[in-house]
Amino acid sequence: MKTWNLLKSIFRRLDDYQRIRPDDYSYELHSGNEDEDYGLPSPAHRRRKSVLHKRRFSSTIFSVVSLVQHTLTLRRLVFILTATFFLLVMGILSSGIPSTYQDVRAYERLLPQHRIREAVSEKIGRDGVTERIHRRKYLWFDGALWGHGLNNVLQESFVMAYIAQLSHRSYVFEDHVWSKSPLPYTLYDFALRPSRIPMNAFISGPSAGGPFPEGGITRRAVSLEFFNTVCRPEERIVLNTKDAPIDASLGKGADEIVKWFLDEIKKVEDEPCVVIDSAGRTLFDRELFGTKRILPILSSLLESPILANFAWSPLVLSAVARNFAILQPDNLNDLYPSSPSYSHSNAGVLSGLVAVHLRRGDYSRHCYRLVGWDDEYMGVNQYEKLPDRFDADAYLREHNFHSSPVISSSPLMSTALSSRNSSTTPLSTIPHRTSEEHNILTPYYISHCLPEIPEIVARLHQVRLDNPGLKRVYLLSNGWGWWLNSLRESLKKDGWEDIMHGGELEMDQAQKHVAMAVDMAIAEKAEVFVGNGFSSLSGNIVTLRLSKGFKPESNRFL
């Protein structure tokens, strides 16, 4: 009540201030001039009118305050705030409470390589000091990605696990960490999301503790929790990476970077607990995975157990199997893992299905940024055996040839284009394109990165002509429902029998938060995959399909 009284007091003072005060002068127009007397009021009259207007305004404000005072009591204000908070909480909880994946964590802890007594033992030496004996060797990359999407984490973990395998050590894998909050959930897109998800909720391959082809548990990957248990801080040897040739400006390929790490690890090969200190840097970044620098190790990586024995988790596969009615496989066995020799058999292939990755959402901004960054397809998506290419320089040459022969024949431009085409030229020395060139290239980028419905329909029509057996479409997309429905109608008009998307899959709470992996598992088995060449998700799907024996020509891009 004191607050309302204070407000009323303030407005009363304002009202008093605006009251009419004695005029210092009074000036009237000559009465003989009737036109002027009729058309122009005196200054005194105008002053009285202005004061009257101000008094009415302050009176109106005072009335509003009085009305609010009598209608919005403190009790009602508390009620409104409480109701608003309640509705907000109900809106957040309406999407469901996510799983904490405790069953998956229990599974990880019970993996055979996590038996502590088989990994380390203790004995008392002659001097009475307890000595710990390690029976295995570990490699942990301290500073792995967190707060990023699953596919950024996956591509990094594949390379890290590959280095650990080549150095004959157990790779130390971590949770997929979205937030380092101590709470089990974090808020994202007005819904609860797990702060951390164990990696075995997504995958079960060698990079997540799965078995190697030769069997045994000596080199199987271990969790960070286990590593912290068996490797005390004083037992760890930390390798500094300040001299690692990871800077993109050096132009080093992935093969040279991997060799540097292997040479450094070899210097401490007798040490059981080795830690790679990232020194606050991202060791394997966008400049590696987003360029051809990754290609020198691609063939050996595809043949390594890390990818050759890659598997989706049982949780992901259960979601795929749960939706057999939507996916309509010719044979139900095609929904489950099978022999990787797909190039010689149709086993494990969802025949007649083309999976299409259509990234929307943040790509409405990101695709335009790619133009200014002079980016090309992700490195894996530039693999020479894949049929589709993104060649911005060729597009520029063709445009300049038709519009300005002088520019197209410029020696400076020819030098710039040839420099950009070289995979060995250090990035710091590659000339950047001009703003005029960026304007020319924008439609070319957008048509491949953020295509509109007519462009998507036309592209899939061509893919169907190249693969006459295709009849169904599965859309991997974060687009709005109305947009997907419009795309569905357009594809049906073009002759496709059935169109489905990830939002139509039936999944429980545990499966919903690994839904991206479910989409990827379906795309991995599709007869043809059409990806977004700029996306790490598409790059990972292409990588997994190649590792499982799918022919390169079965991987296309928008």
Side-chain angles (χ1 to χ4, degrees):
M1 294 302 292
K2 289 182 179 180
T3 303
W4 296 120
N5 291 333
L6 178 62
L7 287 173
K8 287 205 300 183
S9 175
I10 291 172
F11 281 104
R12 281 198 187 98
R13 290 178 181 274
L14 289 173
D15 186 60
D16 292 340
Y17 180 76
Q18 297 296 342
R19 290 183 185 278
I20 298 176
R21 296 184 298 276
D23 292 322
D24 295 328
Y25 63 91
S26 178
Y27 179 81
E28 299 290 344
L29 291 174
H30 296 290
S31 58
N33 190 335
E34 294 181 0
D35 290 338
E36 290 180 355
D37 188 43
Y38 177 80
L40 294 173
S42 68
H45 176 73
R46 291 199 305 269
R47 184 179 183 84
R48 287 194 298 272
K49 191 173 182 180
S50 174
V51 169
L52 181 62
H53 174 74
K54 292 177 179 177
R55 291 186 66 189
R56 286 176 178 172
F57 176 76
S58 61
S59 178
T60 302
I61 295 296
F62 182 75
S63 299
V64 171
V65 171
S66 298
L67 179 65
V68 171
Q69 176 190 4
H70 289 94
T71 57
L72 189 61
T73 63
L74 182 60
R75 181 178 297 176
R76 287 176 180 172
L77 181 62
V78 171
F79 174 78
I80 290 173
L81 292 175
T82 304
T84 303
F85 177 75
F86 177 76
L87 292 174
L88 234 119
V89 171
M90 292 303 295
I92 292 172
L93 295 180
S94 64
S95 60
I97 300 177
S99 168
T100 56
Y101 300 95
Q102 293 305 314
D103 55 337
V104 181
R105 295 191 185 283
Y107 165 79
E108 286 186 346
R109 291 186 181 113
L110 293 174
L111 287 172
Q113 65 267 35
H114 287 162
R115 296 169 187 156
I116 294 179
R117 292 188 177 181
E118 295 182 15
V120 64
S121 61
E122 295 182 345
K123 71 175 184 178
I124 300 177
R126 294 180 179 178
D127 53 1
V129 177
T130 301
E131 180 183 354
R132 286 165 60 87
I133 301 174
H134 290 271
R135 296 187 177 91
R136 300 177 203 155
K137 297 177 181 179
Y138 309 96
L139 183 64
W140 176 40
F141 287 84
D142 185 11
L145 282 178
W146 67 275
H148 289 70
L150 171 66
N151 282 283
N152 297 114
V153 173
L154 276 184
Q155 64 185 10
E156 180 190 61
S157 69
F158 289 156
V159 173
M160 290 177 173
Y162 175 65
I163 292 174
Q165 177 231 329
L166 293 178
S167 62
H168 307 290
R169 289 177 174 270
S170 292
Y171 170 62
V172 179
F173 65 88
E174 304 182 41
D175 290 349
H176 176 221
V177 180
W178 184 254
S179 168
K180 291 193 174 182
S181 165
L183 301 175
Y185 309 119
T186 187
L187 198 59
Y188 182 77
D189 278 352
F190 205 64
L192 291 178
R193 176 176 185 156
S195 297
R196 317 170 71 93
I197 299 179
M199 193 53 68
N200 275 273
F202 296 105
I203 64 176
S204 296
S207 57
F212 280 85
E214 65 270 18
I217 62 173
T218 303
R219 293 169 54 198
R220 285 180 65 164
V222 300
S223 68
L224 179 58
E225 180 185 47
F226 178 81
F227 177 79
N228 286 333
T229 301
V230 298
C231 287
R232 297 171 178 170
E234 63 271 16
E235 296 176 307
R236 302 178 185 182
I237 297 298
V238 179
L239 299 181
N240 196 307
T241 59
K242 64 181 181 63
D243 296 324
I246 58 177
D247 193 321
S249 64
L250 299 175
K252 300 291 186 181
D255 54 340
E256 296 174 279
I257 296 174
V258 168
K259 183 179 184 303
W260 185 90
F261 278 102
L262 293 177
D263 289 343
E264 292 299 305
I265 295 170
K266 189 173 180 61
K267 295 175 183 177
V268 292
E269 61 180 344
D270 293 330
E271 297 292 338
C273 303
V274 175
V275 177
I276 303 292
D277 177 18
S278 64
R281 298 185 296 169
T282 302
L283 298 178
F284 308 103
D285 58 10
R286 186 180 70 89
E287 296 293 351
L288 176 64
F289 295 112
T291 66
K292 290 182 178 181
R293 294 169 62 212
I294 192 65
L295 294 181
I297 67 167
L298 181 60
S299 295
S300 58
L301 186 58
L302 291 174
E303 297 172 358
S304 74
I306 304 304
L307 289 180
N309 289 74
F310 175 88
W312 294 107
S313 73
L315 179 64
V316 169
L317 295 176
S318 69
V320 175
R322 166 68 183 84
N323 289 279
F324 71 94
I326 294 177
L327 298 174
Q328 304 174 30
D330 293 339
N331 187 326
L332 289 178
N333 289 331
D334 294 338
L335 296 176
Y336 300 95
S338 56
S339 168
S341 303
Y342 296 161
S343 55
H344 305 292
S345 168
N346 284 329
V349 178
L350 295 173
S351 300
L353 180 69
V354 54
V356 190
H357 180 210
L358 300 170
R359 181 73 176 266
R360 313 308 283 183
D362 63 319
Y363 263 42
S364 62
R365 301 181 304 274
H366 181 65
C367 292
Y368 287 92
R369 289 197 291 258
L370 294 174
V371 185
W373 294 341
D374 294 335
D375 272 16
E376 298 185 352
Y377 278 172
M378 294 292 292
V380 169
N381 298 335
Q382 298 185 58
Y383 182 46
E384 60 181 6
K385 294 184 179 180
L386 298 176
D388 296 326
R389 290 283 176 271
F390 181 85
D391 194 339
D393 291 332
Y395 182 87
L396 272 178
R397 284 193 295 268
E398 182 177 355
H399 177 276
N400 291 327
F401 176 78
H402 292 292
S403 61
S404 177
V406 175
I407 295 178
S408 66
S409 60
S410 167
L412 178 61
M413 174 166 285
S414 300
T415 302
L417 296 184
S418 62
S419 296
R420 274 192 285 262
N421 285 329
S422 173
S423 61
T424 58
T425 303
L427 297 185
S428 61
T429 64
I430 295 178
H432 291 287
R433 298 186 178 106
T434 66
S435 58
E436 182 182 356
E437 290 174 323
H438 288 154
N439 290 335
I440 295 170
L441 286 170
T442 295
Y444 182 65
Y445 269 83
I446 299 304
S447 66
H448 290 277
C449 185
L450 196 72
E452 295 298 333
I453 288 178
E455 295 172 307
I456 298 169
V457 173
R459 180 65 178 131
L460 292 184
H461 183 87
Q462 182 59 50
V463 169
R464 189 176 62 200
L465 291 178
D466 297 338
N467 302 269
L470 298 177
K471 54 186 178 181
R472 294 175 292 121
V473 180
Y474 182 80
L475 304 174
L476 296 79
S477 180
N478 60 342
W480 291 101
W482 61 266
W483 185 83
L484 292 172
N485 289 334
S486 298
L487 176 58
R488 187 203 306 270
E489 293 303 315
S490 298
L491 289 172
K492 282 186 176 179
K493 290 179 182 177
D494 192 55
W496 292 94
E497 293 182 11
D498 188 35
I499 301 96
M500 64 212 108
H501 60 80
E504 298 173 317
L505 300 181
E506 292 286 341
M507 289 186 281
D508 61 30
Q509 281 298 326
Q511 294 165 338
K512 282 181 181 178
H513 289 280
V514 297
M516 182 180 291
V518 176
D519 271 350
M520 294 175 67
I522 294 170
E524 183 191 339
K525 289 176 171 292
E527 184 173 335
V528 174
F529 171 64
V530 179
N532 183 323
F534 297 99
S535 166
S536 57
L537 184 151
S538 288
N540 282 340
I541 291 175
V542 169
T543 300
L544 295 175
R545 287 170 62 86
L546 292 174
S547 71
K548 296 299 187 293
F550 277 91
K551 295 179 179 179
E553 54 266 30
S554 71
N555 301 285
R556 310 300 300 268
F557 296 108
L558 293 165

